[in-house]
């Protein structure tokens, strides 16, 4: 995959210096930085909690008279802020209390491992070589609308996966062709791992009902260089969410 791809599907999320920006989250105190926004937390946030400067937050700086007091009064609250983006920080013009449903930014879905079918030693002996060879990328259990349990497999080689797993799972087996290989996913994993921890809220993996394995990445903000790099990967391989975005 060419890192110079002309695919710019993430460009609408890119923030450049001097651009009007909007961000939502929980307003918190941050060491050395003053104030910042963490991503949504359902639980109450202690107003006296001080996050380390290394925490992934959207760093906030007040602009204009009275703005700092407005921000301080809302520590621990879920807020929407607008302002101007500069040097990786949001210089705040307005701050408003909101509830999650009112945010223009979609709340991140909690990542959960797909439920796995119990594996005995005999099954593990069959499956492990398939995972190690990159033939199988993911396997999970689901219940079909008719109440029948199915074992869903994402495979780079459907024929090989079915041949090996059909004797194990029988008619419950559903094998789907993956659009990408284990090496493709490993390259994306390396890019995600290289993102600075102060910008990366979370990462993870998931699989669609059709057996398409993907990665998730939640960022505080996105710059053009990273957007170009991520856009080089096929659409559908990455689900990207960004906290601070251009104001529209």
């Amino acid at each position: 995959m060419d890192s110079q791809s002309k695919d710019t599907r993430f460009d609408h999320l890119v923030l450049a210096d001097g651009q009007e920006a909007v961000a939502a989250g929980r307003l918190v105190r941050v060491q050395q930085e003053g104030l910042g926004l963490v991503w949504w937390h359902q639980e109450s946030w202690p107003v006296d909690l001080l996050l380390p400067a290394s925490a992934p937050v959207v760093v906030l700086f007040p602009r204009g008279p009275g703005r700092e007091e407005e921000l301080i009064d809302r520590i621990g609250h879920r807020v929407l802020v607008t302002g101007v983006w500069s040097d990786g920080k949001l210089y705040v013009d307005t701050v408003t209390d909101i509830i999650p449903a009112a945010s223009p930014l979609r709340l991140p879905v909690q990542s959960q491992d797909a439920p796995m079918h119990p594996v005995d030693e005999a099954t593990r002996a069959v499956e492990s070589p398939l995972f190690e060879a990159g033939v199988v990328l993911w396997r999970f259990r689901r219940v079909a609308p008719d109440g029948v349990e199915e074992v869903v497999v994402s495979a780079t080689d459907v024929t090989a996966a079915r041949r090996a797993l059909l004797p194990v799972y029988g008619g419950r087996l559903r094998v789907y062709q993956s659009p990408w290989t284990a090496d493709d996913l490993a390259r994306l994993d390396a890019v995600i791992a290289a993102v600075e921890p102060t910008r990366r809220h979370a990462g993870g993996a998931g699989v669609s009902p059709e057996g398409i394995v993907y990665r998730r990445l939640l960022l505080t903000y996105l710059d053009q260089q990273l957007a170009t790099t991520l856009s080089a990967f096929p659409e559908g391989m990455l689900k990207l969410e960004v906290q601070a975005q251009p104001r529209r």
Side-chain angles (χ1 to χ4, degrees), residues 14-47:
V14 170
L15 274 174
D17 283 356
Q19 193 168 10
E20 290 191 354
V22 58
R26 183 83 71 170
L27 208 159
V28 297
R29 299 179 188 272
V30 185
Q31 285 180 344
Q32 301 174 28
E33 301 290 0
L35 298 171
L37 292 179
V38 295
W39 215 306
W40 298 103
H41 289 262
Q42 296 303 319
E43 73 279 4
S44 298
W45 191 271
V47 296

PDB file of all heavy atoms in Angstrom, residues 14-47:
ATOM      1  N   VAL A  14      -9.090  16.631   9.392  1.00  0.00           N
ATOM      2  CA  VAL A  14      -7.767  17.212   9.648  1.00  0.00           C
ATOM      3  C   VAL A  14      -7.900  18.636  10.186  1.00  0.00           C
ATOM      4  O   VAL A  14      -8.677  19.445   9.672  1.00  0.00           O
ATOM      5  CB  VAL A  14      -6.923  17.215   8.361  1.00  0.00           C
ATOM      6  CG1 VAL A  14      -5.642  18.027   8.555  1.00  0.00           C
ATOM      7  CG2 VAL A  14      -6.593  15.790   7.945  1.00  0.00           C
ATOM      8  N   LEU A  15      -7.115  18.934  11.224  1.00  0.00           N
ATOM      9  CA  LEU A  15      -7.044  20.286  11.771  1.00  0.00           C
ATOM     10  C   LEU A  15      -5.697  20.912  11.425  1.00  0.00           C
ATOM     11  O   LEU A  15      -4.648  20.293  11.620  1.00  0.00           O
ATOM     12  CB  LEU A  15      -7.217  20.263  13.287  1.00  0.00           C
ATOM     13  CG  LEU A  15      -8.657  20.278  13.804  1.00  0.00           C
ATOM     14  CD1 LEU A  15      -8.679  20.095  15.316  1.00  0.00           C
ATOM     15  CD2 LEU A  15      -9.365  21.571  13.421  1.00  0.00           C
ATOM     16  N   ALA A  16      -5.749  22.147  10.922  1.00  0.00           N
ATOM     17  CA  ALA A  16      -4.542  22.904  10.610  1.00  0.00           C
ATOM     18  C   ALA A  16      -4.508  24.162  11.466  1.00  0.00           C
ATOM     19  O   ALA A  16      -5.552  24.653  11.924  1.00  0.00           O
ATOM     20  CB  ALA A  16      -4.526  23.274   9.125  1.00  0.00           C
ATOM     21  N   ASP A  17      -3.323  24.690  11.693  1.00  0.00           N
ATOM     22  CA  ASP A  17      -3.187  25.905  12.495  1.00  0.00           C
ATOM     23  C   ASP A  17      -4.025  27.041  11.910  1.00  0.00           C
ATOM     24  O   ASP A  17      -4.060  27.242  10.688  1.00  0.00           O
ATOM     25  CB  ASP A  17      -1.722  26.332  12.556  1.00  0.00           C
ATOM     26  CG  ASP A  17      -0.912  25.480  13.526  1.00  0.00           C
ATOM     27  OD1 ASP A  17      -1.510  24.619  14.193  1.00  0.00           O
ATOM     28  OD2 ASP A  17       0.311  25.676  13.604  1.00  0.00           O
ATOM     29  N   GLY A  18      -4.709  27.756  12.799  1.00  0.00           N
ATOM     30  CA  GLY A  18      -5.533  28.877  12.389  1.00  0.00           C
ATOM     31  C   GLY A  18      -6.946  28.505  12.005  1.00  0.00           C
ATOM     32  O   GLY A  18      -7.762  29.388  11.712  1.00  0.00           O
ATOM     33  N   GLN A  19      -7.269  27.214  12.041  1.00  0.00           N
ATOM     34  CA  GLN A  19      -8.593  26.757  11.636  1.00  0.00           C
ATOM     35  C   GLN A  19      -9.561  26.782  12.817  1.00  0.00           C
ATOM     36  O   GLN A  19      -9.184  26.490  13.955  1.00  0.00           O
ATOM     37  CB  GLN A  19      -8.482  25.328  11.092  1.00  0.00           C
ATOM     38  CG  GLN A  19      -9.704  24.824  10.364  1.00  0.00           C
ATOM     39  CD  GLN A  19      -9.395  23.522   9.621  1.00  0.00           C
ATOM     40  OE1 GLN A  19      -8.349  22.913   9.806  1.00  0.00           O
ATOM     41  NE2 GLN A  19     -10.321  23.105   8.777  1.00  0.00           N
ATOM     42  N   GLU A  20     -10.823  27.138  12.541  1.00  0.00           N
ATOM     43  CA  GLU A  20     -11.842  27.061  13.581  1.00  0.00           C
ATOM     44  C   GLU A  20     -12.106  25.596  13.902  1.00  0.00           C
ATOM     45  O   GLU A  20     -12.206  24.757  13.002  1.00  0.00           O
ATOM     46  CB  GLU A  20     -13.129  27.746  13.134  1.00  0.00           C
ATOM     47  CG  GLU A  20     -13.004  29.259  13.037  1.00  0.00           C
ATOM     48  CD  GLU A  20     -14.354  29.927  12.845  1.00  0.00           C
ATOM     49  OE1 GLU A  20     -15.359  29.202  12.674  1.00  0.00           O
ATOM     50  OE2 GLU A  20     -14.401  31.161  12.874  1.00  0.00           O
ATOM     51  N   ALA A  21     -12.223  25.305  15.205  1.00  0.00           N
ATOM     52  CA  ALA A  21     -12.336  23.915  15.639  1.00  0.00           C
ATOM     53  C   ALA A  21     -13.437  23.759  16.670  1.00  0.00           C
ATOM     54  O   ALA A  21     -13.857  24.724  17.322  1.00  0.00           O
ATOM     55  CB  ALA A  21     -11.004  23.439  16.219  1.00  0.00           C
ATOM     56  N   VAL A  22     -13.887  22.512  16.826  1.00  0.00           N
ATOM     57  CA  VAL A  22     -14.880  22.162  17.832  1.00  0.00           C
ATOM     58  C   VAL A  22     -14.454  20.847  18.461  1.00  0.00           C
ATOM     59  O   VAL A  22     -13.897  19.971  17.792  1.00  0.00           O
ATOM     60  CB  VAL A  22     -16.290  22.038  17.200  1.00  0.00           C
ATOM     61  CG1 VAL A  22     -16.305  20.991  16.098  1.00  0.00           C
ATOM     62  CG2 VAL A  22     -17.334  21.693  18.256  1.00  0.00           C
ATOM     63  N   ALA A  23     -14.687  20.730  19.761  1.00  0.00           N
ATOM     64  CA  ALA A  23     -14.359  19.488  20.459  1.00  0.00           C
ATOM     65  C   ALA A  23     -15.335  19.298  21.608  1.00  0.00           C
ATOM     66  O   ALA A  23     -15.862  20.263  22.164  1.00  0.00           O
ATOM     67  CB  ALA A  23     -12.924  19.513  20.984  1.00  0.00           C
ATOM     68  N   ALA A  24     -15.565  18.051  21.963  1.00  0.00           N
ATOM     69  CA  ALA A  24     -16.455  17.732  23.068  1.00  0.00           C
ATOM     70  C   ALA A  24     -15.793  16.701  23.959  1.00  0.00           C
ATOM     71  O   ALA A  24     -14.978  15.899  23.509  1.00  0.00           O
ATOM     72  CB  ALA A  24     -17.791  17.203  22.539  1.00  0.00           C
ATOM     73  N   GLY A  25     -16.145  16.729  25.238  1.00  0.00           N
ATOM     74  CA  GLY A  25     -15.588  15.765  26.175  1.00  0.00           C
ATOM     75  C   GLY A  25     -15.772  16.229  27.600  1.00  0.00           C
ATOM     76  O   GLY A  25     -16.517  17.175  27.878  1.00  0.00           O
ATOM     77  N   ARG A  26     -15.079  15.555  28.494  1.00  0.00           N
ATOM     78  CA  ARG A  26     -15.129  15.910  29.910  1.00  0.00           C
ATOM     79  C   ARG A  26     -13.995  16.884  30.207  1.00  0.00           C
ATOM     80  O   ARG A  26     -12.835  16.609  29.901  1.00  0.00           O
ATOM     81  CB  ARG A  26     -14.976  14.649  30.752  1.00  0.00           C
ATOM     82  CG  ARG A  26     -15.090  14.872  32.237  1.00  0.00           C
ATOM     83  CD  ARG A  26     -16.510  14.905  32.720  1.00  0.00           C
ATOM     84  NE  ARG A  26     -17.139  13.595  32.682  1.00  0.00           N
ATOM     85  CZ  ARG A  26     -18.315  13.321  33.237  1.00  0.00           C
ATOM     86  NH1 ARG A  26     -18.981  14.263  33.855  1.00  0.00           N
ATOM     87  NH2 ARG A  26     -18.842  12.119  33.147  1.00  0.00           N
ATOM     88  N   LEU A  27     -14.332  18.035  30.796  1.00  0.00           N
ATOM     89  CA  LEU A  27     -13.329  19.059  31.073  1.00  0.00           C
ATOM     90  C   LEU A  27     -12.571  18.687  32.347  1.00  0.00           C
ATOM     91  O   LEU A  27     -13.178  18.451  33.396  1.00  0.00           O
ATOM     92  CB  LEU A  27     -14.004  20.420  31.231  1.00  0.00           C
ATOM     93  CG  LEU A  27     -13.149  21.641  30.867  1.00  0.00           C
ATOM     94  CD1 LEU A  27     -14.027  22.838  30.571  1.00  0.00           C
ATOM     95  CD2 LEU A  27     -12.162  21.973  31.965  1.00  0.00           C
ATOM     96  N   VAL A  28     -11.239  18.634  32.245  1.00  0.00           N
ATOM     97  CA  VAL A  28     -10.409  18.168  33.361  1.00  0.00           C
ATOM     98  C   VAL A  28      -9.180  19.068  33.511  1.00  0.00           C
ATOM     99  O   VAL A  28      -8.836  19.840  32.618  1.00  0.00           O
ATOM    100  CB  VAL A  28      -9.942  16.710  33.127  1.00  0.00           C
ATOM    101  CG1 VAL A  28     -11.121  15.759  33.078  1.00  0.00           C
ATOM    102  CG2 VAL A  28      -9.118  16.604  31.843  1.00  0.00           C
ATOM    103  N   ARG A  29      -8.523  18.925  34.656  1.00  0.00           N
ATOM    104  CA  ARG A  29      -7.250  19.594  34.886  1.00  0.00           C
ATOM    105  C   ARG A  29      -6.120  18.702  34.365  1.00  0.00           C
ATOM    106  O   ARG A  29      -6.175  17.480  34.506  1.00  0.00           O
ATOM    107  CB  ARG A  29      -7.036  19.855  36.382  1.00  0.00           C
ATOM    108  CG  ARG A  29      -8.093  20.747  37.025  1.00  0.00           C
ATOM    109  CD  ARG A  29      -7.791  20.924  38.508  1.00  0.00           C
ATOM    110  NE  ARG A  29      -8.864  21.610  39.201  1.00  0.00           N
ATOM    111  CZ  ARG A  29      -8.953  22.929  39.322  1.00  0.00           C
ATOM    112  NH1 ARG A  29      -8.014  23.695  38.783  1.00  0.00           N
ATOM    113  NH2 ARG A  29      -9.964  23.484  39.972  1.00  0.00           N
ATOM    114  N   VAL A  30      -5.100  19.349  33.792  1.00  0.00           N
ATOM    115  CA  VAL A  30      -3.971  18.610  33.229  1.00  0.00           C
ATOM    116  C   VAL A  30      -2.672  19.243  33.716  1.00  0.00           C
ATOM    117  O   VAL A  30      -2.500  20.464  33.624  1.00  0.00           O
ATOM    118  CB  VAL A  30      -4.002  18.624  31.682  1.00  0.00           C
ATOM    119  CG1 VAL A  30      -2.889  17.747  31.121  1.00  0.00           C
ATOM    120  CG2 VAL A  30      -5.355  18.168  31.161  1.00  0.00           C
ATOM    121  N   GLN A  31      -1.777  18.419  34.233  1.00  0.00           N
ATOM    122  CA  GLN A  31      -0.491  18.924  34.700  1.00  0.00           C
ATOM    123  C   GLN A  31       0.243  19.656  33.580  1.00  0.00           C
ATOM    124  O   GLN A  31       0.262  19.199  32.440  1.00  0.00           O
ATOM    125  CB  GLN A  31       0.382  17.767  35.203  1.00  0.00           C
ATOM    126  CG  GLN A  31      -0.034  17.215  36.549  1.00  0.00           C
ATOM    127  CD  GLN A  31       0.863  16.075  36.993  1.00  0.00           C
ATOM    128  OE1 GLN A  31       1.594  15.506  36.197  1.00  0.00           O
ATOM    129  NE2 GLN A  31       0.799  15.734  38.271  1.00  0.00           N
ATOM    130  N   GLN A  32       0.853  20.776  33.906  1.00  0.00           N
ATOM    131  CA  GLN A  32       1.682  21.580  33.011  1.00  0.00           C
ATOM    132  C   GLN A  32       0.890  22.257  31.897  1.00  0.00           C
ATOM    133  O   GLN A  32       1.328  23.269  31.353  1.00  0.00           O
ATOM    134  CB  GLN A  32       2.809  20.734  32.391  1.00  0.00           C
ATOM    135  CG  GLN A  32       3.734  20.102  33.418  1.00  0.00           C
ATOM    136  CD  GLN A  32       4.739  19.166  32.773  1.00  0.00           C
ATOM    137  OE1 GLN A  32       5.111  19.327  31.623  1.00  0.00           O
ATOM    138  NE2 GLN A  32       5.170  18.162  33.538  1.00  0.00           N
ATOM    139  N   GLU A  33      -0.271  21.709  31.537  1.00  0.00           N
ATOM    140  CA  GLU A  33      -1.054  22.267  30.438  1.00  0.00           C
ATOM    141  C   GLU A  33      -2.213  23.133  30.932  1.00  0.00           C
ATOM    142  O   GLU A  33      -2.681  24.004  30.210  1.00  0.00           O
ATOM    143  CB  GLU A  33      -1.596  21.149  29.542  1.00  0.00           C
ATOM    144  CG  GLU A  33      -0.534  20.262  28.916  1.00  0.00           C
ATOM    145  CD  GLU A  33       0.282  20.982  27.854  1.00  0.00           C
ATOM    146  OE1 GLU A  33       0.031  22.175  27.598  1.00  0.00           O
ATOM    147  OE2 GLU A  33       1.185  20.349  27.286  1.00  0.00           O
ATOM    148  N   GLY A  34      -2.692  22.866  32.141  1.00  0.00           N
ATOM    149  CA  GLY A  34      -3.812  23.635  32.682  1.00  0.00           C
ATOM    150  C   GLY A  34      -5.118  22.884  32.581  1.00  0.00           C
ATOM    151  O   GLY A  34      -5.537  22.207  33.512  1.00  0.00           O
ATOM    152  N   LEU A  35      -5.773  22.980  31.416  1.00  0.00           N
ATOM    153  CA  LEU A  35      -7.080  22.359  31.224  1.00  0.00           C
ATOM    154  C   LEU A  35      -7.106  21.566  29.927  1.00  0.00           C
ATOM    155  O   LEU A  35      -6.367  21.857  28.981  1.00  0.00           O
ATOM    156  CB  LEU A  35      -8.179  23.423  31.190  1.00  0.00           C
ATOM    157  CG  LEU A  35      -8.355  24.260  32.460  1.00  0.00           C
ATOM    158  CD1 LEU A  35      -9.309  25.413  32.204  1.00  0.00           C
ATOM    159  CD2 LEU A  35      -8.856  23.396  33.610  1.00  0.00           C
ATOM    160  N   GLY A  36      -7.987  20.566  29.892  1.00  0.00           N
ATOM    161  CA  GLY A  36      -8.114  19.767  28.683  1.00  0.00           C
ATOM    162  C   GLY A  36      -9.422  19.001  28.671  1.00  0.00           C
ATOM    163  O   GLY A  36     -10.192  19.022  29.640  1.00  0.00           O
ATOM    164  N   LEU A  37      -9.671  18.338  27.557  1.00  0.00           N
ATOM    165  CA  LEU A  37     -10.860  17.505  27.399  1.00  0.00           C
ATOM    166  C   LEU A  37     -10.441  16.053  27.239  1.00  0.00           C
ATOM    167  O   LEU A  37      -9.641  15.727  26.359  1.00  0.00           O
ATOM    168  CB  LEU A  37     -11.657  17.919  26.155  1.00  0.00           C
ATOM    169  CG  LEU A  37     -12.345  19.281  26.148  1.00  0.00           C
ATOM    170  CD1 LEU A  37     -13.038  19.488  24.810  1.00  0.00           C
ATOM    171  CD2 LEU A  37     -13.340  19.401  27.289  1.00  0.00           C
ATOM    172  N   VAL A  38     -10.975  15.193  28.103  1.00  0.00           N
ATOM    173  CA  VAL A  38     -10.848  13.760  27.864  1.00  0.00           C
ATOM    174  C   VAL A  38     -12.095  13.313  27.117  1.00  0.00           C
ATOM    175  O   VAL A  38     -13.101  14.021  27.081  1.00  0.00           O
ATOM    176  CB  VAL A  38     -10.702  12.961  29.178  1.00  0.00           C
ATOM    177  CG1 VAL A  38      -9.410  13.314  29.875  1.00  0.00           C
ATOM    178  CG2 VAL A  38     -11.890  13.183  30.092  1.00  0.00           C
ATOM    179  N   TRP A  39     -12.029  12.098  26.529  1.00  0.00           N
ATOM    180  CA  TRP A  39     -13.213  11.612  25.839  1.00  0.00           C
ATOM    181  C   TRP A  39     -14.286  11.298  26.869  1.00  0.00           C
ATOM    182  O   TRP A  39     -14.042  11.298  28.063  1.00  0.00           O
ATOM    183  CB  TRP A  39     -12.894  10.379  24.989  1.00  0.00           C
ATOM    184  CG  TRP A  39     -13.712  10.357  23.723  1.00  0.00           C
ATOM    185  CD1 TRP A  39     -15.064  10.440  23.637  1.00  0.00           C
ATOM    186  CD2 TRP A  39     -13.229  10.287  22.383  1.00  0.00           C
ATOM    187  NE1 TRP A  39     -15.468  10.411  22.324  1.00  0.00           N
ATOM    188  CE2 TRP A  39     -14.363  10.318  21.533  1.00  0.00           C
ATOM    189  CE3 TRP A  39     -11.969  10.185  21.818  1.00  0.00           C
ATOM    190  CZ2 TRP A  39     -14.269  10.244  20.149  1.00  0.00           C
ATOM    191  CZ3 TRP A  39     -11.873  10.114  20.441  1.00  0.00           C
ATOM    192  CH2 TRP A  39     -13.007  10.147  19.619  1.00  0.00           C
ATOM    193  N   TRP A  40     -15.471  11.037  26.399  1.00  0.00           N
ATOM    194  CA  TRP A  40     -16.614  10.877  27.296  1.00  0.00           C
ATOM    195  C   TRP A  40     -16.379   9.823  28.363  1.00  0.00           C
ATOM    196  O   TRP A  40     -15.856   8.757  28.096  1.00  0.00           O
ATOM    197  CB  TRP A  40     -17.853  10.490  26.490  1.00  0.00           C
ATOM    198  CG  TRP A  40     -18.223  11.529  25.511  1.00  0.00           C
ATOM    199  CD1 TRP A  40     -18.002  11.494  24.164  1.00  0.00           C
ATOM    200  CD2 TRP A  40     -18.838  12.779  25.779  1.00  0.00           C
ATOM    201  NE1 TRP A  40     -18.454  12.647  23.581  1.00  0.00           N
ATOM    202  CE2 TRP A  40     -18.974  13.450  24.546  1.00  0.00           C
ATOM    203  CE3 TRP A  40     -19.299  13.396  26.934  1.00  0.00           C
ATOM    204  CZ2 TRP A  40     -19.554  14.706  24.436  1.00  0.00           C
ATOM    205  CZ3 TRP A  40     -19.875  14.644  26.823  1.00  0.00           C
ATOM    206  CH2 TRP A  40     -19.996  15.283  25.592  1.00  0.00           C
ATOM    207  N   HIS A  41     -16.825  10.148  29.575  1.00  0.00           N
ATOM    208  CA  HIS A  41     -16.849   9.195  30.682  1.00  0.00           C
ATOM    209  C   HIS A  41     -18.257   9.206  31.246  1.00  0.00           C
ATOM    210  O   HIS A  41     -18.806  10.261  31.548  1.00  0.00           O
ATOM    211  CB  HIS A  41     -15.853   9.581  31.779  1.00  0.00           C
ATOM    212  CG  HIS A  41     -14.428   9.380  31.381  1.00  0.00           C
ATOM    213  ND1 HIS A  41     -13.710   8.269  31.734  1.00  0.00           N
ATOM    214  CD2 HIS A  41     -13.588  10.135  30.637  1.00  0.00           C
ATOM    215  CE1 HIS A  41     -12.483   8.356  31.244  1.00  0.00           C
ATOM    216  NE2 HIS A  41     -12.386   9.483  30.578  1.00  0.00           N
ATOM    217  N   GLN A  42     -18.845   8.033  31.388  1.00  0.00           N
ATOM    218  CA  GLN A  42     -20.201   7.960  31.919  1.00  0.00           C
ATOM    219  C   GLN A  42     -20.230   8.257  33.417  1.00  0.00           C
ATOM    220  O   GLN A  42     -21.197   8.774  33.939  1.00  0.00           O
ATOM    221  CB  GLN A  42     -20.795   6.570  31.651  1.00  0.00           C
ATOM    222  CG  GLN A  42     -20.958   6.255  30.168  1.00  0.00           C
ATOM    223  CD  GLN A  42     -21.823   7.281  29.453  1.00  0.00           C
ATOM    224  OE1 GLN A  42     -22.831   7.727  29.984  1.00  0.00           O
ATOM    225  NE2 GLN A  42     -21.432   7.669  28.250  1.00  0.00           N
ATOM    226  N   GLU A  43     -19.135   7.924  34.101  1.00  0.00           N
ATOM    227  CA  GLU A  43     -19.109   8.153  35.542  1.00  0.00           C
ATOM    228  C   GLU A  43     -18.807   9.616  35.846  1.00  0.00           C
ATOM    229  O   GLU A  43     -18.301  10.348  34.999  1.00  0.00           O
ATOM    230  CB  GLU A  43     -18.051   7.254  36.195  1.00  0.00           C
ATOM    231  CG  GLU A  43     -16.603   7.666  35.932  1.00  0.00           C
ATOM    232  CD  GLU A  43     -16.061   7.209  34.587  1.00  0.00           C
ATOM    233  OE1 GLU A  43     -16.831   6.630  33.805  1.00  0.00           O
ATOM    234  OE2 GLU A  43     -14.874   7.449  34.325  1.00  0.00           O
ATOM    235  N   SER A  44     -19.121  10.036  37.065  1.00  0.00           N
ATOM    236  CA  SER A  44     -18.781  11.391  37.494  1.00  0.00           C
ATOM    237  C   SER A  44     -17.265  11.540  37.550  1.00  0.00           C
ATOM    238  O   SER A  44     -16.544  10.597  37.858  1.00  0.00           O
ATOM    239  CB  SER A  44     -19.383  11.672  38.875  1.00  0.00           C
ATOM    240  OG  SER A  44     -20.787  11.588  38.820  1.00  0.00           O
ATOM    241  N   TRP A  45     -16.798  12.753  37.262  1.00  0.00           N
ATOM    242  CA  TRP A  45     -15.359  13.006  37.228  1.00  0.00           C
ATOM    243  C   TRP A  45     -14.979  13.866  38.427  1.00  0.00           C
ATOM    244  O   TRP A  45     -15.504  14.958  38.598  1.00  0.00           O
ATOM    245  CB  TRP A  45     -14.990  13.727  35.938  1.00  0.00           C
ATOM    246  CG  TRP A  45     -13.507  13.786  35.735  1.00  0.00           C
ATOM    247  CD1 TRP A  45     -12.661  14.753  36.176  1.00  0.00           C
ATOM    248  CD2 TRP A  45     -12.694  12.837  35.058  1.00  0.00           C
ATOM    249  NE1 TRP A  45     -11.370  14.469  35.827  1.00  0.00           N
ATOM    250  CE2 TRP A  45     -11.362  13.290  35.134  1.00  0.00           C
ATOM    251  CE3 TRP A  45     -12.958  11.634  34.400  1.00  0.00           C
ATOM    252  CZ2 TRP A  45     -10.303  12.598  34.573  1.00  0.00           C
ATOM    253  CZ3 TRP A  45     -11.899  10.956  33.839  1.00  0.00           C
ATOM    254  CH2 TRP A  45     -10.600  11.427  33.924  1.00  0.00           C
ATOM    255  N   PRO A  46     -14.044  13.405  39.273  1.00  0.00           N
ATOM    256  CA  PRO A  46     -13.638  14.212  40.438  1.00  0.00           C
ATOM    257  C   PRO A  46     -13.020  15.539  39.991  1.00  0.00           C
ATOM    258  O   PRO A  46     -12.080  15.549  39.191  1.00  0.00           O
ATOM    259  CB  PRO A  46     -12.596  13.329  41.134  1.00  0.00           C
ATOM    260  CG  PRO A  46     -12.829  11.946  40.597  1.00  0.00           C
ATOM    261  CD  PRO A  46     -13.337  12.124  39.201  1.00  0.00           C
ATOM    262  N   VAL A  47     -13.545  16.643  40.479  1.00  0.00           N
ATOM    263  CA  VAL A  47     -13.085  17.953  40.011  1.00  0.00           C
ATOM    264  C   VAL A  47     -11.661  18.249  40.459  1.00  0.00           C
ATOM    265  O   VAL A  47     -10.996  19.106  39.882  1.00  0.00           O
ATOM    266  CB  VAL A  47     -14.024  19.077  40.492  1.00  0.00           C
ATOM    267  CG1 VAL A  47     -15.394  18.905  39.888  1.00  0.00           C
ATOM    268  CG2 VAL A  47     -14.103  19.119  42.013  1.00  0.00           C
TER     269      VAL A  47
END
